[in-house]
Structure formats: C-alpha cells, structure tokens
C-alpha cells in the first residue's frame, strides 16, 4: 500500500482545498455574533494603534478575547491589505483550515498516502471544520497551531533530525497556540507524558532542553508583559477564572448540577455520534493493536511509531475533553459544543487515517465489524448526519466480505491501490453530502444587502436616528468599517417612544426580514416578527428595498 501513487493524496488535497473554498464563499453569512465582532474590532484597533493593552479599568468586561493576539493580529494585516469587510475578517480562519490539510499532506503524502488522503478528508470535510471557516472564531486557527506543534514534537524526535531547531519550533508553535486560545491545554497531559517517558529512557535530550528553555523564556516574557500592563503576572489565568464566575449560572456546578453525572459519563458519546465524530472514533479504534496477517517487509514497523503517537494524543485529548474542567478553582466540565472539539480533531483524524489504511490492507473480520458498527450508528442516529456513517459502513462491510466472495474483482482485493482509492472516494462522497446541502441553501442573513443599505443611508447629508433589530444593534459599526457616521444615532426598535423626529432629525427604520426569520436568533434574541415591527411604526414610507432588506422613513404621528 505504501506503493500507492502519490496522485491519491495530491488529488485529495486539491479536492479538499476547492471544496473548502466553495463552502466558504457559498455559505458566508457575515457577522455571526459577539465573538467575531469583537475580534474584528480588536484587529481594527490594533491596526490604528488604539488597542488598550491593559484590562478594563472598571472591571466590567470579562473578555478573554482581548488576549488572543494571534486571532486578531493577522486579521489586522488583512484589514490593512484589503480593507474592513467580512471576507478580509474571516480570511485567517480559512487559511488556517487549509493549512491543516497542507500539513497533513506534508507529513504523510509520500510516507503513507492512504493515511494522508483519509485524514485530509476526515478533518477538512468534517461539517463543523467547514462551518468554522467563515466565522472569525479562534477554533480552526488553534487547530492549525495544535497540529503543527504536535507534528514538530513527532518529527523533531526522529533520528537524524536537527533536534535543537525542532525543539525551538515546538516551543514557538505551542506559544502561538496559547496566544490563540487557552484550550491548547488539552495537549498538556500528553506533552508532559512524552517528556517524562523520554526522561526515563534518557532520549531526545537536546530536543527537550531547547524546547523547555525556549518555552520558559517565552512564558517569562509573557508574564513580564502582563506584570507591566496589569500588575499581575498570572493575569490571563485570573481572567479565565473571572470569566468562569461570570458565566457560573449556566455551568454544571451552579446552574446545571443535575446534568453533571450524564455529562461525565454517557452524554459525550451521544454528542460525538450526533455531530459526526463517530466515524473518526470508529476508524481510530481500528488502528489499535498489532496488525494481523502477512504484510510486506517493513510495512508493519514503518508506520507503527506515528500510529501510536497519534492514537495516544487522540486518547489523551479525548479524555481531557470528556473529564476536564474549564476552571482551576472548581470542577466544571467543558461544554459539549462542536467548536470546543477542534483540538481533538487533528490527532483523531490521523489516527482514523491509520485505521482506514489497516482496513483496506487487511480487510477480513476487522473491516466487517467496523462497517457493521457504522451501520448500527446510522440506525441509532436516524438523522441527516447519519449519511457520514452509512456509506463508509456499507463500503467497509463489502471490503470485509470480499475475502469470501469468489467473484469479487481482483483489482479490489485487500492491499490493492484501487481498493484504497475506491474507499477513499466513498469517504469523500459521504462527508461532502451535508456541506453540499448547506452550500445549496439560500443565505439566511442578507448580510451583503444590509451592508449596502447601511452605506447608502450614510450619505453626505445623512443624519438622524436609525432603528435596527437587536442583533444588528450590537455590530452595526462593522458595516461602516468601524467608522459609523457621527450624524447617525442607532437605536433598537423598542426605542420607538423615546426618539424625537423633526425635519432636521429624521428617523429611519431598517428591516432585515432574513434576520427576523433566522431560527437561531428568534429562539434566543429576537422576539418579534417583521409584521409586528411595522405595526409599531404605522406612519412610515418605504424608501429603498434590497432583497430581504427594507429601509423606511418614519414620520411623526
């Protein structure tokens, strides 16, 4: 199987890249919420030298986003190059996502082509990996640093490497991850375990000496920076604890204590299956243990160290996510949200890649059982997500039965390159179904039309009050490149009884019907319909319409 042509991972990389780019463009909905707005605002402030280094002097804000410099720092560069717009604001998450595919190709494109192709698909076409490409959230950016740092640890400890440079790279990449999001701590137990194991065996001393020295210097400089601007060396740790206290009403110890037992036992498993990660988990399980059967010379030993490395990292990260805590002062399990799993995805995808490689090499009972498990997951789930289990499950069941089928094509026998290519193609098809569905759906935010309408309203003679929905009220400044006209005042719809209207101070009503019909917003934030909003302002005149976005002039009663 190692003789599989390099064309399989190359074509897979090209497919993942094009598919990711298409998803990014066709499903982009603009600003999503508070987080991406504040990251963009911090980037704008950094670009213009107005970013405050210290904490909020009144201690009213609980904002760990402010400390994630490698999220908004690169965005500031894109703002300088391309201006403030939604594409330049989210280009960094897209590039980080594509970078993960590139790293996997660089690691295994030649060494283990099946592993490379499968891992690129499992990671790159996972729905929530794609979903996070077009929002300015830190998760896919962190995922890139996590994968790069783990790869530096793996390769830097190989014989014949320049261990000192790899150790320095490992320290720098881990620090970059810390400057992106605190959940790089998911990897800390594994890293400490590797350090202890190498210390006991007295191996890789140069790598670890350089890595630990560089890491200590970086953390010391980081602590000194916080001491200068906040008088608190551990400011970032204390900020996280403060954030936990601020959000305590919804956590498992204060507001949701009754759900704690389920959260640390069976709920994570149902959560993983429900978001499609059951496929990776099942394939990764197939990589456990020693290979069975007769393999080509060197085939079993060549992939064993890497396979064990990614399996161990995936298991350690999974355990941390399952049982870990968001707080150092009290036990509060990590929230079961898809975007919180991103540190787990790279090692899990690579471990699953090794599992799939084993299945197409050896087939037999192991492939049959894995396929059966995936089909059973399909029957248990019974949602649209189940397609990621059904197609690979049926394909692997067929592969498992192939040894007992006399008319099975010889080209598709276990260990043949054609079989690997077919199974990888089935995997790509299964993973692409759900994202393709969302790529074909019409947009639900009308972001572009809303931006055009707001900028039309901000003409040279613009003045008065603009009435907007609760969602837009929190982020309207982004539509103006954070330079909203000073002559315009933005108010919520509910301010209808407190605004003054005169010939010199007109009032405008901006109605985005897409926003007011968005299920995610109407469940949590917006409690009114377009008709109810219009009924509050009966004395109005339609001024402009752009798709689902309407602008009215509100007149005095």
């Amino acid at each position: 199987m190692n003789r599989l042509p390099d064309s399989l991972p190359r074509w897979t990389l090209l497919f993942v890249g094009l598919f990711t780019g298409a998803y990014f463009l066709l499903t982009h909905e603009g600003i999503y919420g508070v987080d991406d707005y504040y990251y963009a605002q911090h980037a704008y402030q950094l670009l213009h030298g107005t970013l405050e280094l210290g904490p909020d002097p009144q201690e009213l804000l609980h904002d760990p986003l402010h400390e994630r410099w490698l999220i908004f720092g690169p965005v500031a560069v894109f703002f300088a190059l391309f201006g403030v717009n939604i594409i330049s604001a989210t280009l960094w998450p897209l590039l980080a996502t594509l970078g993960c595919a590139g790293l996997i190709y660089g690691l295994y494109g030649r060494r283990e082509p099946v592993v490379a192709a499968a891992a690129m698909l499992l990671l790159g076409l996972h729905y929530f990996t794609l979903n996070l490409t077009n929002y300015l959230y830190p998760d896919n950016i962190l995922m890139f640093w996590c994968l790069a740092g783990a790869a530096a640890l793996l390769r830097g400890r190989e014989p014949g490497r320049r261990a000192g440079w790899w150790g320095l790279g490992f320290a720098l990449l881990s620090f970059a991850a810390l400057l992106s999001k605190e959940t790089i701590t998911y990897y800390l137990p594994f890293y400490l375990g590797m350090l202890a194991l190498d210390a006991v065996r007295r191996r890789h001393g140069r790598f670890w000496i350089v890595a630990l020295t560089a890491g200590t210097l970086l953390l010391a400089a980081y602590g000194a920076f916080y001491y200068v601007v906040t008088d608190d060396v551990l400011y970032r740790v204390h900020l996280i604890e403060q954030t936990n206290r601020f959000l305590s009403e919804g956590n498992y110890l204060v507001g949701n204590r009754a759900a704690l037992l389920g959260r640390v036992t069976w709920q994570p498993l149902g959560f993983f299956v429900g978001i499609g990660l059951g496929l990776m988990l099942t394939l990764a399980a197939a990589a456990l243990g020693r290979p069975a059967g007769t393999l080509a010379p060197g085939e079993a030993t060549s992939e064993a160290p890497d396979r064990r490395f990614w399996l161990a990292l995936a298991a350690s990260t999974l355990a941390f996510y399952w049982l870990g805590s968001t707080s150092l002062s009290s036990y509060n399990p990590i929230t079961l949200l898809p975007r919180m799993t991103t540190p787990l995805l790279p090692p899990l995808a690579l471990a699953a890649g090794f599992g799939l490689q084993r299945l197409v090499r050896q087939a037999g009972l192991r492939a049959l059982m894995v396929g059966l498990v995936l089909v059973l997951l399909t029957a248990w789930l019974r949602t649209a997500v189940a397609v990621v289990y059904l197609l690979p499950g049926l394909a692997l069941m067929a592969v498992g039965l192939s040894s007992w089928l006399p008319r099975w094509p010889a080209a598709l026998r276990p260990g043949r390159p054609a079989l690997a290519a077919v199974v990888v193609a089935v995997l790509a098809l299964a993973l692409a179904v759900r994202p393709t569905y969302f790529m074909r759906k019409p947009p639900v935010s009308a972001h572009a039309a809303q931006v055009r309408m707001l900028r039309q309203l901000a003409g040279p003679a613009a003045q008065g009050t603009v009435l907007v929905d609760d969602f837009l009220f929190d982020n309207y400044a982004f539509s103006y490149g954070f330079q909203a006209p000073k002559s315009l005042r933005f108010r919520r719809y509910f301010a209808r009884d407190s605004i003054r209207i005169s010939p010199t101070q007109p009032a405008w009503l901006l109605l985005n019907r897409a926003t007011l019909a968005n299920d995610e917003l109407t469940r949590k934030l917006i409690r009114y319909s377009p008709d109810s909003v219009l009924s509050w302002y009966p004395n109005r005149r339609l001024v402009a319409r752009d798709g689902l976005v309407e602008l009215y002039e509100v007149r005095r009663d």
Side-chain angles (χ1 to χ4, degrees), residues 171-245:
L172 290 172
L173 290 166
S174 299
F175 187 66
L178 180 63
L179 294 182
S180 299
K181 194 177 181 183
E182 301 78 10
T183 44
I184 181 57
T185 52
Y186 286 18
Y187 283 20
L188 186 59
F190 177 78
Y191 287 165
L192 293 176
M194 293 296 292
L195 172 61
L197 184 64
D198 284 347
V200 169
R201 295 177 176 178
R202 296 185 179 182
R203 298 169 55 187
H204 312 301
R206 182 183 296 274
F207 175 92
W208 285 112
I209 289 172
V210 173
L212 292 173
T213 302
T216 301
L217 292 174
L218 288 169
L219 290 176
Y222 196 46
F225 166 78
Y226 277 119
Y227 183 76
V228 170
V229 299
T230 71
D231 293 325
D232 183 2
V233 173
L234 299 177
Y235 170 75
R236 193 168 177 190
V237 175
H238 296 152
L239 179 63
I240 295 169
E241 291 300 311
Q242 183 181 1
T243 304
N244 276 311
R245 289 192 295 271

Side-chain angles (χ1 to χ4, degrees), residues 245-258:
R245 289 192 295 271
F246 181 72
L247 300 174
S248 61
E249 289 186 3
N251 71 21
Y252 284 94
L253 295 184
V254 177
N256 201 18
R257 185 185 295 268

Side-chain angles (χ1 to χ4, degrees), residues 24-261:
F24 175 82
L25 294 173
L26 294 176
T27 65
H28 215 305
E29 296 287 359
I31 289 288
Y32 177 72
V34 173
D35 285 17
D36 46 4
Y37 174 77
Y38 278 120
Y39 284 126
Q41 185 182 58
H42 293 332
Y44 178 83
Q45 292 170 342
L46 180 63
L47 178 62
H48 291 85
T50 59
L51 181 70
E52 294 290 340
L53 297 181
D56 173 29
Q58 296 181 332
E59 297 186 356
L60 298 176
L61 299 179
H62 309 268
D63 183 16
L65 283 62
H66 182 272
E67 313 308 320
R68 296 170 179 174
W69 287 76
L70 282 186
I71 302 302
F72 58 83
V75 176
V77 176
F78 293 130
F79 282 173
L81 294 174
F82 309 117
V84 178
N85 58 71
I86 196 58
I87 299 300
S88 61
T90 50
L91 192 58
W92 179 214
L94 172 66
L95 293 177
T97 306
L98 295 173
C100 289
L103 284 172
I104 292 172
Y105 179 81
L107 282 169
Y108 294 110
R110 292 184 180 276
R111 289 190 179 204
E112 306 286 352
V114 177
V115 173
M120 283 188 284
L121 290 171
L122 289 165
L123 180 62
L125 268 62
H126 175 54
Y127 172 72
F128 290 101
T129 298
L130 291 167
N131 181 253
L132 288 167
T133 58
N134 48 21
Y135 299 117
L136 185 50
Y137 275 38
D139 306 283
N140 283 15
I141 299 167
L142 173 70
M143 185 169 67
F144 173 77
W145 297 124
C146 286
L147 176 57
L153 176 61
L154 174 65
R155 291 288 176 258
R157 295 164 58 256
E158 290 179 342
R161 300 282 185 180
R162 302 179 68 177
W165 288 106
W166 282 94
L168 177 62
F170 171 66
L172 290 172
L173 290 166
S174 299
F175 187 66
L178 180 63
L179 294 182
S180 299
K181 194 177 181 183
E182 301 78 10
T183 44
I184 181 57
T185 52
Y186 286 18
Y187 283 20
L188 186 59
F190 177 78
Y191 287 165
L192 293 176
M194 293 296 292
L195 172 61
L197 184 64
D198 284 347
V200 169
R201 295 177 176 178
R202 296 185 179 182
R203 298 169 55 187
H204 312 301
R206 182 183 296 274
F207 175 92
W208 285 112
I209 289 172
V210 173
L212 292 173
T213 302
T216 301
L217 292 174
L218 288 169
L219 290 176
Y222 196 46
F225 166 78
Y226 277 119
Y227 183 76
V228 170
V229 299
T230 71
D231 293 325
D232 183 2
V233 173
L234 299 177
Y235 170 75
R236 193 168 177 190
V237 175
H238 296 152
L239 179 63
I240 295 169
E241 291 300 311
Q242 183 181 1
T243 304
N244 276 311
R245 289 192 295 271
F246 181 72
L247 300 174
S248 61
E249 289 186 3
N251 71 21
Y252 284 94
L253 295 184
V254 177
N256 201 18
R257 185 185 295 268
L260 181 60
L261 178 61

Side-chain angles (χ1 to χ4, degrees), residues 147-493:
L147 176 57
L153 176 61
L154 174 65
R155 291 288 176 258
R157 295 164 58 256
E158 290 179 342
R161 300 282 185 180
R162 302 179 68 177
W165 288 106
W166 282 94
L168 177 62
F170 171 66
L172 290 172
L173 290 166
S174 299
F175 187 66
L178 180 63
L179 294 182
S180 299
K181 194 177 181 183
E182 301 78 10
T183 44
I184 181 57
T185 52
Y186 286 18
Y187 283 20
L188 186 59
F190 177 78
Y191 287 165
L192 293 176
M194 293 296 292
L195 172 61
L197 184 64
D198 284 347
V200 169
R201 295 177 176 178
R202 296 185 179 182
R203 298 169 55 187
H204 312 301
R206 182 183 296 274
F207 175 92
W208 285 112
I209 289 172
V210 173
L212 292 173
T213 302
T216 301
L217 292 174
L218 288 169
L219 290 176
Y222 196 46
F225 166 78
Y226 277 119
Y227 183 76
V228 170
V229 299
T230 71
D231 293 325
D232 183 2
V233 173
L234 299 177
Y235 170 75
R236 193 168 177 190
V237 175
H238 296 152
L239 179 63
I240 295 169
E241 291 300 311
Q242 183 181 1
T243 304
N244 276 311
R245 289 192 295 271
F246 181 72
L247 300 174
S248 61
E249 289 186 3
N251 71 21
Y252 284 94
L253 295 184
V254 177
N256 201 18
R257 185 185 295 268
L260 181 60
L261 178 61
R263 167 59 187 85
V264 297
T265 52
W266 64 84
Q267 285 180 4
L269 182 59
F271 165 72
F272 289 134
V273 173
I275 65 172
L277 283 186
L279 177 60
M280 286 196 217
L281 289 168
T282 306
L283 291 176
L288 293 169
R290 292 180 176 274
T294 303
L295 301 175
E299 197 169 44
T301 57
S302 64
E303 54 91 41
D306 287 22
R307 175 174 55 83
R308 289 196 296 264
F309 178 91
W310 296 115
L311 275 169
L313 179 54
S316 172
T317 310
L318 178 63
F320 193 101
Y321 181 74
W322 201 306
L323 301 172
S325 172
T326 63
S327 173
L328 296 175
S329 60
S330 62
Y331 182 62
N332 182 45
I334 300 163
T335 310
L336 295 177
L337 288 175
R339 68 186 185 91
M340 299 299 290
T341 65
T342 45
L344 171 63
L345 298 183
L348 187 61
L350 283 161
F354 280 102
L356 186 70
Q357 175 176 260
R358 177 175 290 183
L359 296 177
V360 296
R361 275 178 174 173
Q362 301 171 15
L365 184 60
R366 186 187 293 257
L368 182 60
M369 294 303 297
V370 168
L372 181 59
V373 168
L374 293 176
V375 171
L376 291 175
L377 290 179
T378 305
W380 178 47
L381 196 58
R382 291 183 296 178
T383 68
V385 179
V387 69
V388 304
Y389 303 122
L390 179 61
L391 296 179
L394 293 176
L396 289 173
M397 287 182 69
V399 169
L401 293 170
S402 63
S403 301
W404 296 283
L405 298 176
R407 295 189 178 182
W408 187 264
L412 298 180
R413 292 290 179 185
R416 298 294 180 89
L419 176 63
V422 168
V423 173
V424 166
V426 171
L427 186 64
L429 176 62
L431 291 168
V433 170
R434 191 180 181 203
T436 301
Y437 168 75
F438 285 97
M439 289 161 64
R440 292 173 57 87
K441 288 185 66 176
V444 298
S445 71
H447 172 78
Q450 182 171 267
V451 170
R452 288 193 296 268
M453 193 71 76
L454 285 169
R455 292 184 176 178
Q456 176 184 331
L457 185 61
Q463 57 182 344
T465 302
V466 185
L467 296 154
V468 298
D469 59 71
D470 290 74
F471 178 72
L472 179 58
F473 181 78
D474 290 327
N475 60 58
Y476 67 85
F478 180 83
S479 300
Y480 296 108
F482 297 103
Q483 293 180 318
K486 295 181 180 179
S487 58
L488 292 177
R489 298 186 306 275
F490 286 81
R491 304 289 297 275
R492 290 183 170 92
Y493 291 148

